[in-house]
Amino acid sequence: MTPPRRASPLATLGLLAMTAVWGSTFVLIKDVVGRMPVADFLAVRFALAALAMLALFARPAWRLGWRQSVRALLLGLLYGAAQLLQTWGLKLIAPSVSGFVTGMYVVFTPLLATVLLRQRPNGAVWLAVLLATAGLALLSLNGFSVDAGVWLTLASAALYALHIVGLGQWSRPEQAPGMSAVQMVAIAAVCLLATAPHGPQPPPDRAAWLAVLYMALVAGAGAMLVQTWAQAHLPATRAAIVMTTEPVFAAGFAVALGVEAPTWRMVAGGALVLAAMYLVELAPRRAAPPPEALHHEV
């Protein structure tokens, strides 16, 4: 059994940087999927990401061994299926509702960790989950009805949570490049299958190509590498709570680019999400006894 790993501030910063990049893609995705089919967009994006990962990390991927390779493939299949379900759901519901329901992985993650791994989050973690959920609601919701799109998106949130739990359990820092590459190949395969039998259509123009390249290389390959490495250092539930800052960054980019005007809901929702992250990230370290005290207790 692997001993519990101590949370790393650098891993938290990595996840924050990753979610900032994800948040920057909302405006780009909205523009691109308006001009090409969703499945084709995902297939091209992740196929390019997979090619880039294999070009850089083919040797680490080959050295993983069969067990870690199978695990990485399974994680990639989960993530790819989640991407498709989330995007199909987005066609049926408002983007704000999609953002909230997708963020429910912050609730599913501790539940799955409890059921599958017998991990029992403490009271502070559950309070952080509630704060993050309330923050997501303020950021995203102006009305809510449960329909097929909501159910599809909720299923995607459950798959994202399963991916977070599995990655937290199986990822190792030294294997992050290889596991990232194998995951990306599996994600690309799932998305390419969704375009059968005709196969993916390319982006329609230069602006779309540039957006897809950014989302493939930075928000795709780069983000997966960072997440895989960071989750080797962070408990799954803590990682999920840190990643709920994605809609905060998305709102910030929307305001900065002039797409949306700032509102009190953005400020209050963002504050609740940041409070949740503080609760699980900074408060435990401030409350921990100094190393000298631990040394004397031994």
Side-chain angles (χ1 to χ4, degrees), residues 25-191:
T25 65
F26 276 64
V27 176
L28 294 174
I29 290 174
K30 184 176 180 180
D31 176 67
V32 173
V33 298
R35 293 184 288 141
M36 66 183 296
V38 167
D40 293 354
F41 157 69
L42 291 175
V44 174
R45 173 187 176 183
F46 288 112
L48 290 172
L51 289 173
M53 294 291 272
L54 287 176
L56 292 172
F57 304 124
R59 185 169 296 178
W62 181 259
R63 291 177 176 173
L64 278 180
W66 71 269
R67 178 172 295 181
Q68 284 294 82
S69 295
V70 169
R71 289 171 171 174
L73 284 171
L74 177 59
L75 291 172
L77 292 175
L78 288 172
Y79 194 96
Q83 282 279 323
L84 287 170
L85 288 174
Q86 180 189 6
T87 309
W88 286 333
L90 182 59
K91 295 176 67 175
L92 305 175
I93 58 178
S96 60
V97 176
S98 175
F100 170 74
V101 178
T102 302
M104 286 300 94
Y105 62 71
V106 75
V107 176
F108 287 129
T109 299
L111 293 175
L112 288 171
T114 300
V115 172
L116 299 177
L117 304 178
R118 299 293 187 266
Q119 295 177 355
R120 296 183 179 180
N122 59 34
V125 169
W126 284 114
L127 177 58
V129 168
L130 291 175
L131 287 174
T133 303
L136 287 170
L138 277 175
L139 279 165
S140 306
L141 296 183
N142 284 303
F144 189 83
S145 60
V146 179
D147 54 22
V150 171
W151 288 114
L152 285 171
T153 310
L154 196 64
S156 78
L159 291 180
Y160 281 131
L162 198 55
H163 177 266
I164 292 169
V165 171
L167 195 58
Q169 185 71 6
W170 293 333
S171 179
R172 301 293 178 266
E174 68 279 4
Q175 295 177 332
M179 286 197 73
S180 301
V182 175
Q183 285 181 86
M184 198 58 67
V185 168
I187 296 168
V190 171
C191 294

Side-chain angles (χ1 to χ4, degrees), residues 25 77 99-100 217 219 228 231 236 282 294:
T25 65
L77 292 175
F100 170 74
L217 302 180
T228 302
Q231 283 208 243
L282 302 180
L294 291 174

